[in-house]
Amino acid sequence: MASKDVLVGVIGGSGLYHLDNLTLVETVNPETPWGYPSSPISICSLPSGAKVAFVARHGKHHNISPSAVPARANIAALKSLGVRAILAFSAVGSLREEIAPGHFAIPTQIIDRTKGVRPASFFEGTGAVAHAAFGDPFSLKLVRWLETEVEKALVAEGRGVVLHKDKCIVCMEGPQFSTRAESIMYRAWGGDLINMSVLPEAKLAREAELGYALIATATDYDSWRPHSEAVTASQVFQTLQANANTSRHVAASILEDLHLAALQGDLLSEEKGSMSLSIMPRSGDQKEEDIQKLAYILSAYFQPAGIAN
């Protein structure tokens, strides 16, 4: 199924359910060993003819809550199409005064506050164990490239949207927003942003040896400000549409160059082969069905019976 000209995948977050200025080529809905993705995947053509894959994280009609997003299916489906770099968008809360609603950020660190109800590894229940390196949870070469290109796109849009760099994002379970006490605690921990979606996406992308970066779009100040109302969904919606429009502008501005950078290879060099030392030695009695499942995303390390290297 993999196609060499689909190197970049985009995961759209709240409010971002499609991309602009691209030509729809086809819609696919691959069944992976972890089920179907959260929405059918749109394969869109760039002006050069190269293709980009787009999936809506919460479904086409935002009917999937953060805890129920089939993240393993999303990542596996994108990789099955040939994707090597994932550009994810997410609406976030701000934990810092200087990151105002409407601002964008590209984080480099994550604090995990999910509760273990989300499957966070492709290896669960397969008879194999892997300890992926996750000290730098985002692909730093990809992040540094994006910082320059996204900033250019924001300046060109002319709305004065600010881009913040090297920030730490807290991923909470949800679907409820933070209490005031939690919001203050996250600030004390060094959190700058908060969302409900970056995990397990980033972990799964790392296991699948895919480049992964997040463009975070601030919609609110969470609940830490002592003289402000706590965040509500209606407050978020007020900023969401403007952020989504800017996100589409950013995507339209950078995807062509991102595809070319991915094609040249160096941008994604830190991911290739990164799992080779992470998979623990396996016994010879691993079930064939589990080998086939893992081969779907890591064929370099798992070979079903009867398939030569």
Side-chain angles (χ1 to χ4, degrees), residues 201-216:
E201 267 182 15
K203 291 181 177 179
L204 295 167
R206 181 61 50 85
E207 285 190 348
E209 296 189 339
L210 299 179
Y212 179 90
L214 182 76
I215 296 179

PDB file of all heavy atoms in Angstrom, residues 201-216:
ATOM      1  N   GLU A 201       0.203   9.897  20.831  1.00  0.00           N
ATOM      2  CA  GLU A 201       0.639  10.104  19.449  1.00  0.00           C
ATOM      3  C   GLU A 201       2.155  10.150  19.313  1.00  0.00           C
ATOM      4  O   GLU A 201       2.739   9.459  18.465  1.00  0.00           O
ATOM      5  CB  GLU A 201       0.069  11.419  18.902  1.00  0.00           C
ATOM      6  CG  GLU A 201      -1.227  11.279  18.184  1.00  0.00           C
ATOM      7  CD  GLU A 201      -1.724  12.604  17.625  1.00  0.00           C
ATOM      8  OE1 GLU A 201      -0.966  13.592  17.543  1.00  0.00           O
ATOM      9  OE2 GLU A 201      -2.906  12.633  17.262  1.00  0.00           O
ATOM     10  N   ALA A 202       2.802  10.991  20.140  1.00  0.00           N
ATOM     11  CA  ALA A 202       4.254  11.164  20.018  1.00  0.00           C
ATOM     12  C   ALA A 202       4.993   9.873  20.326  1.00  0.00           C
ATOM     13  O   ALA A 202       5.994   9.547  19.680  1.00  0.00           O
ATOM     14  CB  ALA A 202       4.723  12.285  20.942  1.00  0.00           C
ATOM     15  N   LYS A 203       4.516   9.117  21.320  1.00  0.00           N
ATOM     16  CA  LYS A 203       5.159   7.847  21.667  1.00  0.00           C
ATOM     17  C   LYS A 203       5.020   6.836  20.537  1.00  0.00           C
ATOM     18  O   LYS A 203       5.970   6.117  20.195  1.00  0.00           O
ATOM     19  CB  LYS A 203       4.546   7.277  22.951  1.00  0.00           C
ATOM     20  CG  LYS A 203       4.872   8.073  24.201  1.00  0.00           C
ATOM     21  CD  LYS A 203       4.255   7.427  25.443  1.00  0.00           C
ATOM     22  CE  LYS A 203       4.651   8.187  26.704  1.00  0.00           C
ATOM     23  NZ  LYS A 203       4.054   7.596  27.924  1.00  0.00           N
ATOM     24  N   LEU A 204       3.854   6.766  19.948  1.00  0.00           N
ATOM     25  CA  LEU A 204       3.613   5.801  18.877  1.00  0.00           C
ATOM     26  C   LEU A 204       4.391   6.162  17.617  1.00  0.00           C
ATOM     27  O   LEU A 204       4.914   5.280  16.919  1.00  0.00           O
ATOM     28  CB  LEU A 204       2.118   5.727  18.581  1.00  0.00           C
ATOM     29  CG  LEU A 204       1.273   5.185  19.741  1.00  0.00           C
ATOM     30  CD1 LEU A 204      -0.206   5.449  19.483  1.00  0.00           C
ATOM     31  CD2 LEU A 204       1.519   3.702  19.954  1.00  0.00           C
ATOM     32  N   ALA A 205       4.482   7.457  17.322  1.00  0.00           N
ATOM     33  CA  ALA A 205       5.289   7.875  16.178  1.00  0.00           C
ATOM     34  C   ALA A 205       6.742   7.479  16.374  1.00  0.00           C
ATOM     35  O   ALA A 205       7.412   7.029  15.435  1.00  0.00           O
ATOM     36  CB  ALA A 205       5.166   9.386  15.970  1.00  0.00           C
ATOM     37  N   ARG A 206       7.243   7.610  17.607  1.00  0.00           N
ATOM     38  CA  ARG A 206       8.620   7.219  17.894  1.00  0.00           C
ATOM     39  C   ARG A 206       8.805   5.707  17.683  1.00  0.00           C
ATOM     40  O   ARG A 206       9.790   5.269  17.090  1.00  0.00           O
ATOM     41  CB  ARG A 206       8.979   7.622  19.322  1.00  0.00           C
ATOM     42  CG  ARG A 206      10.407   7.300  19.765  1.00  0.00           C
ATOM     43  CD  ARG A 206      11.462   8.011  18.908  1.00  0.00           C
ATOM     44  NE  ARG A 206      11.235   9.419  18.760  1.00  0.00           N
ATOM     45  CZ  ARG A 206      11.642  10.353  19.636  1.00  0.00           C
ATOM     46  NH1 ARG A 206      12.303   9.986  20.731  1.00  0.00           N
ATOM     47  NH2 ARG A 206      11.414  11.631  19.414  1.00  0.00           N
ATOM     48  N   GLU A 207       7.856   4.905  18.157  1.00  0.00           N
ATOM     49  CA  GLU A 207       7.957   3.453  17.962  1.00  0.00           C
ATOM     50  C   GLU A 207       7.892   3.080  16.486  1.00  0.00           C
ATOM     51  O   GLU A 207       8.526   2.108  16.062  1.00  0.00           O
ATOM     52  CB  GLU A 207       6.823   2.748  18.712  1.00  0.00           C
ATOM     53  CG  GLU A 207       7.011   2.679  20.213  1.00  0.00           C
ATOM     54  CD  GLU A 207       6.021   1.771  20.903  1.00  0.00           C
ATOM     55  OE1 GLU A 207       5.024   1.341  20.256  1.00  0.00           O
ATOM     56  OE2 GLU A 207       6.215   1.489  22.102  1.00  0.00           O
ATOM     57  N   ALA A 208       7.152   3.830  15.707  1.00  0.00           N
ATOM     58  CA  ALA A 208       7.017   3.542  14.276  1.00  0.00           C
ATOM     59  C   ALA A 208       8.146   4.159  13.452  1.00  0.00           C
ATOM     60  O   ALA A 208       8.129   4.068  12.222  1.00  0.00           O
ATOM     61  CB  ALA A 208       5.675   4.049  13.759  1.00  0.00           C
ATOM     62  N   GLU A 209       9.121   4.791  14.131  1.00  0.00           N
ATOM     63  CA  GLU A 209      10.262   5.435  13.470  1.00  0.00           C
ATOM     64  C   GLU A 209       9.823   6.535  12.508  1.00  0.00           C
ATOM     65  O   GLU A 209      10.381   6.714  11.427  1.00  0.00           O
ATOM     66  CB  GLU A 209      11.141   4.414  12.751  1.00  0.00           C
ATOM     67  CG  GLU A 209      11.804   3.412  13.687  1.00  0.00           C
ATOM     68  CD  GLU A 209      12.845   2.529  13.018  1.00  0.00           C
ATOM     69  OE1 GLU A 209      12.805   2.397  11.761  1.00  0.00           O
ATOM     70  OE2 GLU A 209      13.695   1.990  13.717  1.00  0.00           O
ATOM     71  N   LEU A 210       8.827   7.310  12.931  1.00  0.00           N
ATOM     72  CA  LEU A 210       8.344   8.438  12.145  1.00  0.00           C
ATOM     73  C   LEU A 210       8.738   9.744  12.817  1.00  0.00           C
ATOM     74  O   LEU A 210       8.712   9.858  14.045  1.00  0.00           O
ATOM     75  CB  LEU A 210       6.819   8.388  12.011  1.00  0.00           C
ATOM     76  CG  LEU A 210       6.224   7.165  11.311  1.00  0.00           C
ATOM     77  CD1 LEU A 210       4.704   7.269  11.284  1.00  0.00           C
ATOM     78  CD2 LEU A 210       6.776   7.014   9.901  1.00  0.00           C
ATOM     79  N   GLY A 211       9.082  10.734  12.020  1.00  0.00           N
ATOM     80  CA  GLY A 211       9.285  12.068  12.554  1.00  0.00           C
ATOM     81  C   GLY A 211       7.952  12.626  13.022  1.00  0.00           C
ATOM     82  O   GLY A 211       6.920  12.415  12.375  1.00  0.00           O
ATOM     83  N   TYR A 212       7.946  13.351  14.143  1.00  0.00           N
ATOM     84  CA  TYR A 212       6.701  13.866  14.697  1.00  0.00           C
ATOM     85  C   TYR A 212       6.960  15.217  15.353  1.00  0.00           C
ATOM     86  O   TYR A 212       7.893  15.365  16.152  1.00  0.00           O
ATOM     87  CB  TYR A 212       6.127  12.897  15.735  1.00  0.00           C
ATOM     88  CG  TYR A 212       4.828  13.352  16.387  1.00  0.00           C
ATOM     89  CD1 TYR A 212       3.595  13.007  15.841  1.00  0.00           C
ATOM     90  CD2 TYR A 212       4.842  14.120  17.547  1.00  0.00           C
ATOM     91  CE1 TYR A 212       2.408  13.417  16.435  1.00  0.00           C
ATOM     92  CE2 TYR A 212       3.661  14.542  18.151  1.00  0.00           C
ATOM     93  CZ  TYR A 212       2.441  14.179  17.587  1.00  0.00           C
ATOM     94  OH  TYR A 212       1.264  14.590  18.184  1.00  0.00           O
ATOM     95  N   ALA A 213       6.132  16.190  15.012  1.00  0.00           N
ATOM     96  CA  ALA A 213       6.187  17.511  15.649  1.00  0.00           C
ATOM     97  C   ALA A 213       4.771  18.035  15.788  1.00  0.00           C
ATOM     98  O   ALA A 213       3.876  17.675  15.010  1.00  0.00           O
ATOM     99  CB  ALA A 213       7.043  18.475  14.833  1.00  0.00           C
ATOM    100  N   LEU A 214       4.575  18.896  16.776  1.00  0.00           N
ATOM    101  CA  LEU A 214       3.253  19.435  17.085  1.00  0.00           C
ATOM    102  C   LEU A 214       3.249  20.945  16.920  1.00  0.00           C
ATOM    103  O   LEU A 214       4.134  21.639  17.438  1.00  0.00           O
ATOM    104  CB  LEU A 214       2.873  19.090  18.529  1.00  0.00           C
ATOM    105  CG  LEU A 214       1.490  19.548  19.001  1.00  0.00           C
ATOM    106  CD1 LEU A 214       0.409  18.635  18.421  1.00  0.00           C
ATOM    107  CD2 LEU A 214       1.411  19.565  20.528  1.00  0.00           C
ATOM    108  N   ILE A 215       2.264  21.449  16.202  1.00  0.00           N
ATOM    109  CA  ILE A 215       1.995  22.880  16.175  1.00  0.00           C
ATOM    110  C   ILE A 215       0.794  23.113  17.077  1.00  0.00           C
ATOM    111  O   ILE A 215      -0.322  22.671  16.792  1.00  0.00           O
ATOM    112  CB  ILE A 215       1.725  23.387  14.749  1.00  0.00           C
ATOM    113  CG1 ILE A 215       2.978  23.211  13.876  1.00  0.00           C
ATOM    114  CG2 ILE A 215       1.304  24.851  14.772  1.00  0.00           C
ATOM    115  CD1 ILE A 215       2.802  23.657  12.443  1.00  0.00           C
ATOM    116  N   ALA A 216       1.043  23.759  18.216  1.00  0.00           N
ATOM    117  CA  ALA A 216       0.020  23.987  19.227  1.00  0.00           C
ATOM    118  C   ALA A 216      -0.584  25.374  19.043  1.00  0.00           C
ATOM    119  O   ALA A 216       0.141  26.355  18.881  1.00  0.00           O
ATOM    120  CB  ALA A 216       0.639  23.856  20.625  1.00  0.00           C
TER     121      ALA A 216
END
